[in-house]
Amino acid sequence: MRFTLMSKHWMAVATRILLPAALAWSPLVTSAQTDAERALLDMRQAFQAGNAQRLSALLPRTQGHLLEPQAAYWELRARLNTASPQEIRAFLQRHAGSYHEDRLRNDWLLQLGKARDWTTFAQELPLFRMNDDREVKCYGLLVQRDRPLTDLAPQAKALWLAQRRADDGCATLAERLLASGALPADAAWQRARWAMENNQLAVATQAIGLLNPAWLPLVNTVHSDPARYLDEKVTAIRSRTKELVTLALVRLAVSNPDAAAAEASKLRWKTQLTDEEQSWVWGVIGKRAALRLSPEAMAHFAKADNRHLNDDLLAWKARAALRAGDWEQVLGATAAMQPAQRDEPVWRYWQARALDARGTPEARAQARALYERTASSTGFYEQLSLEALNRTVTTPPPPATLSAAEKADARQNPSLQRALAAIALGLRSEGVREWNYAVALHHPGGMTERELLAAADLACEHEVWDRCINTSKRTSGEIDHAQRFPMPFRQAVVQRAREIGLDPAYVYGLIRQESRFVTAAQSHVGAAGLMQVMPATASWTAKRIGLRDFKPEQITERDTNIAIGTAYLKLALDDFEGSMAMAAAAYNAGPGRPRSWRNGPTLEAAVWIENIPFDETRDYVRRVLSNTTNYAALITGQPQRLSARLAPIGPRQASARAPNTDLP
């Protein structure tokens, strides 16, 4: 009966809103493309295909167009390996001060480093403005011949351990420092541990190969079958085996933390491995158990010394401690983090909560100081810190109105002009990269706050909402919530949400996170439109709400996307008994996962969210809910509390209706 009534409700909504919208909506009609614009679109295809000859043939047709620098970059980049230094420098001079100059210099520096042309590299490096390429930084340390190697080691180690691929630059730097003894061999083994945990065999073999290429067959064995390697009787008497045993235990923990725990407890490994190696192994076992929401996670972490755990393992120890309600362990894990991670809003907030739990006047004073440093309306933990201080989320007063001169400076910025032109033409990724360069990297430290507000205003004016939001978010003193939380298509979104019983602020909070209001947004997995709906989900939901003759290509139509996306969100919210946190998690990761994640103890929602095993989904849920709170303040004009949207989460009550297992 419930299904029948719901079907009638959705049929009425679909008849009144969806079908007229589907019939009336059509893609925006643009003016006829010029020959130069057609050439630019063809050049992107040729660049992606690596067709240098086609690029050279098309380039003359772009002469005089605003995006000619982009075309010239594609053409030269495709044949950079054969271009002469004179030709490259001519390009750099012709486009001096531009994004494309710096982009090509980045590419050239990488090529010069691989070619070991240190003379030219040293000449060009000081001119590289972006300075955001980790491999270039490693090459840059290699050319500092006048500095003692021991001085280079700390920065080199940090760069190498942070690099997520088997690159040439950082590996070459590490090889030099390892050979000299300035960098200890432990750094290579630590890099290999990360690689084993993250299934990056190329990274592991590169790191260990720098120590001894003869060990690589064993590294491959450890990666492919760690249990077999550990079970071999000769393993215990091999020379240099303890580091490989550590790798094997780490690798085993990924697939079977229980088996890894049993193996790590064996006397032969406890006596052979160092305290640091054992701590790392138990840290990985604890993390992997925590990812499975296992109550055994804290018991595993208890066997590790915090001093030997990296920030990732400490973060998971803190999450497991939150789930277990062990506030002292939360404090211990956060205290052991590196300063940069410890000072993130998430860990400042949980440190404060742990100090509050101690209950002493001194601890409460320390907690209040942390809340004060964190509290604002800008994010999830910032909003929770406001509430800890008994304050609410309100819309801050807007900054001073932009002057005509400030707006004119933004309009006349050549990088912003090119970025908007590229996005309008359909070269969105190219336009976004140039825009980001203009606001953050062209000058050291990026644009000033007033310049950022003016650039965001320009993006808003052109309805390039993602650049409007992301640019405005960079300000810390002057905060413009109208820019940060725009409400395009307000009538369509608000009317639709209210008709089906959704909070419009929740819908806006989700759209802002999903697509930044880019109607043509397309994810790498196929989700499309404002609300990033997957094709199969769109078809299922269209049938569920009675939308006849729905075709997959209609999902990019604005009103159709809003109708289907909000319908699915409402179905998910109903299925999770009104929990905004679980419904948002279901929207991002599918409903089956949050159904599983809710099993176990009943937790405050913030603890449950922090223990979501997927980084993307955890961040997504936090952002959707903090967005929702800000949108509610804007829409209602009333103070808001994030906690009003954070009901406790635990197993489904026996009295609740059965889960909607058809929900995709």
Side-chain angles (χ1 to χ4, degrees):
M1 178 63 70
R2 183 177 181 84
F3 177 82
T4 303
L5 292 173
M6 183 178 290
S7 297
K8 289 179 179 178
H9 169 73
W10 287 113
M11 181 70 77
V13 172
T15 302
R16 187 169 63 258
I17 297 176
L18 260 176
L19 294 181
L23 292 172
W25 183 261
S26 61
L28 292 175
V29 178
T30 60
S31 58
Q33 288 176 350
T34 66
D35 182 64
E37 289 170 339
R38 288 192 294 272
L40 281 159
L41 294 173
D42 288 345
M43 286 187 77
R44 180 170 67 172
Q45 290 185 337
F47 182 72
Q48 291 170 342
N51 190 337
Q53 185 176 359
R54 175 70 171 154
L55 287 164
S56 297
L58 288 167
L59 180 61
R61 290 168 52 188
T62 68
Q63 187 173 2
H65 193 277
L66 179 62
L67 297 179
E68 183 184 355
Q70 178 67 62
Y73 167 79
W74 279 330
E75 194 276 336
L76 183 53
R77 177 65 183 87
R79 54 184 182 83
L80 191 61
N81 289 339
T82 58
S84 69
Q86 293 77 17
E87 184 180 9
I88 295 170
R89 285 199 166 110
F91 176 96
L92 299 176
Q93 185 174 1
R94 186 164 62 252
H95 300 286
S98 73
Y99 162 74
H100 297 96
E101 175 217 7
D102 221 35
R103 177 78 275 149
L104 191 78
R105 179 170 281 111
N106 190 169
D107 300 329
W108 194 26
L109 286 167
L110 290 171
Q111 180 175 293
L112 292 168
K114 288 180 174 63
R116 308 300 189 251
D117 183 350
W118 302 123
T119 299
T120 310
F121 183 95
Q123 292 169 350
E124 294 298 323
L125 181 62
L127 303 175
F128 181 38
R129 291 185 299 277
M130 287 189 281
N131 197 30
D132 61 346
D133 188 302
R134 193 174 286 121
E135 188 172 9
V136 168
K137 290 181 180 180
C138 286
Y139 282 135
L141 291 177
L142 275 167
V143 300
Q144 296 184 28
R145 303 287 184 178
D146 56 333
R147 291 180 61 187
L149 294 180
T150 51
D151 289 354
L152 301 178
Q155 187 179 356
K157 180 180 178 181
L159 287 168
W160 192 39
L161 293 182
Q163 188 72 302
R164 293 304 182 236
R165 56 189 177 84
D167 73 317
D168 175 72
C170 293
T172 302
L173 175 63
E175 183 177 29
R176 179 182 172 196
L177 295 175
L178 287 165
S180 71
L183 190 66
D186 287 349
W189 291 109
Q190 287 178 16
R191 182 154 171 77
R193 292 175 197 170
W194 174 87
M196 283 293 178
E197 185 184 354
N198 292 277
N199 196 30
Q200 297 289 328
L201 179 59
V203 172
T205 54
Q206 183 193 60
I208 303 309
L210 298 180
L211 298 177
N212 189 339
W215 295 334
L216 295 185
L218 287 175
V219 173
N220 281 280
T221 299
V222 165
H223 180 268
S224 62
D225 195 347
R228 181 174 180 275
Y229 174 83
L230 292 167
D231 191 48
E232 290 178 350
K233 292 182 173 57
V234 293
T235 297
I237 59 172
R238 281 181 178 146
S239 61
R240 198 68 182 180
T241 193
K242 67 185 186 67
E243 293 87 353
L244 290 167
V245 167
T246 302
L247 295 186
L249 289 169
V250 166
R251 185 70 182 150
L252 183 59
V254 173
S255 59
N256 193 335
D258 291 338
E263 191 70 42
S265 299
K266 291 181 177 178
L267 182 61
R268 60 173 173 167
W269 306 137
K270 291 169 70 174
T271 56
Q272 189 172 0
L273 303 188
T274 66
D275 289 344
E276 188 272 341
E277 289 163 338
Q278 291 187 63
S279 291
W280 194 295
V281 166
W282 283 109
V284 174
I285 294 171
K287 173 188 170 180
R288 291 292 157 173
L291 285 166
R292 299 182 179 202
L293 306 181
S294 168
E296 299 299 319
M298 283 307 297
H300 299 321
F301 277 122
K303 297 177 182 178
D305 188 328
N306 285 347
R307 294 174 301 172
H308 300 313
L309 300 182
N310 64 17
D311 275 353
D312 178 55
L313 299 178
L314 289 166
W316 277 104
K317 181 174 183 178
R319 293 184 181 112
L322 286 171
R323 189 172 173 86
D326 191 335
W327 292 108
E328 286 301 314
Q329 291 296 330
V330 172
L331 269 181
T334 53
M337 293 174 180
Q338 293 298 309
Q341 177 166 298
R342 187 170 63 247
D343 200 42
E344 293 172 2
V346 51
W347 301 121
R348 282 207 304 264
Y349 174 78
W350 289 119
Q351 287 175 72
R353 286 287 304 275
L355 288 165
D356 258 342
R358 280 186 171 175
T360 65
E362 180 183 7
R364 286 177 175 165
Q366 292 173 333
R368 185 175 183 85
L370 287 169
Y371 290 137
E372 290 283 3
R373 286 182 56 212
T374 310
S376 78
S377 63
T378 56
F380 185 83
Y381 284 108
E382 292 87 340
Q383 292 175 357
L384 287 179
S385 295
L386 275 177
E387 292 196 30
L389 297 168
N390 200 28
R391 301 172 195 163
T392 54
V393 174
T394 57
T395 301
T401 303
L402 290 164
S403 68
E406 288 173 321
K407 289 188 175 186
D409 285 344
R411 286 196 301 271
Q412 293 163 12
N413 184 301
S415 276
L416 298 185
Q417 288 179 348
R418 281 192 297 269
L420 290 173
I423 291 169
L425 185 58
L427 304 175
R428 168 162 280 277
S429 60
E430 291 81 3
V432 166
R433 284 193 290 269
E434 179 151 13
W435 184 282
N436 292 345
Y437 162 82
V439 301
L441 297 168
H442 183 68
H443 296 295
M447 288 182 172
T448 67
E449 297 221 336
R450 297 296 295 179
E451 289 171 334
L452 288 167
L453 291 174
D457 179 74
L458 179 66
C460 288
E461 179 184 328
H462 286 264
E463 298 185 359
V464 182
W465 301 112
D466 60 330
R467 293 310 92 202
C468 172
I469 293 167
N470 286 20
T471 304
S472 192
K473 277 180 62 179
R474 293 183 62 83
T475 65
S476 56
E478 300 196 59
I479 296 175
D480 188 338
H481 267 217
Q483 290 180 345
R484 293 190 181 199
F485 300 96
M487 286 183 275
F489 330 120
R490 182 165 182 167
Q491 182 177 355
V493 172
V494 172
Q495 178 181 339
R496 173 69 175 157
R498 287 177 173 162
E499 283 185 331
I500 64 174
L502 276 177
D503 180 355
Y506 189 38
V507 178
Y508 265 119
L510 184 138
I511 295 176
R512 183 181 185 272
Q513 186 57 28
E514 283 286 353
S515 69
R516 290 288 199 264
F517 304 101
V518 177
T519 55
Q522 188 90 19
S523 79
H524 68 282
V525 295
L530 282 174
M531 299 190 71
Q532 289 290 279
V533 185
M534 293 291 289
T537 302
S539 297
W540 180 89
T541 307
K543 290 179 183 177
R544 183 68 182 264
I545 65 177
L547 177 57
R548 298 187 182 92
D549 301 322
F550 170 77
K551 296 178 177 57
E553 58 268 22
Q554 290 177 277
I555 197 57
T556 57
E557 298 170 0
R558 186 197 71 183
D559 289 1
T560 304
N561 190 276
I562 291 171
I564 289 178
T566 53
Y568 181 85
L569 181 60
K570 182 63 165 68
L571 290 167
L573 191 65
D574 289 344
D575 191 56
F576 286 100
E577 304 127 86
S579 169
M580 286 186 169
M582 285 194 286
Y587 199 96
N588 179 262
R593 292 187 175 97
R595 285 190 196 122
S596 172
W597 298 337
R598 73 184 299 183
N599 293 329
T602 297
L603 302 168
E604 62 172 282
V607 171
W608 184 86
I609 293 167
E610 193 54 45
N611 274 273
I612 289 175
F614 296 169
D615 293 345
E616 177 190 324
T617 304
R618 184 186 326 114
D619 183 65
Y620 176 89
V621 174
R622 293 190 306 210
R623 290 179 186 271
V624 167
L625 294 176
S626 64
N627 290 347
T628 299
T629 307
N630 276 308
Y631 274 115
L634 280 165
I635 292 170
T636 67
Q638 299 298 314
Q640 300 291 317
R641 289 183 177 274
L642 173 59
S643 60
R645 297 164 177 85
L646 295 178
I649 296 175
R652 187 182 293 267
Q653 297 296 314
S655 58
R657 68 177 184 177
N660 180 3
T661 54
D662 291 335
L663 192 68

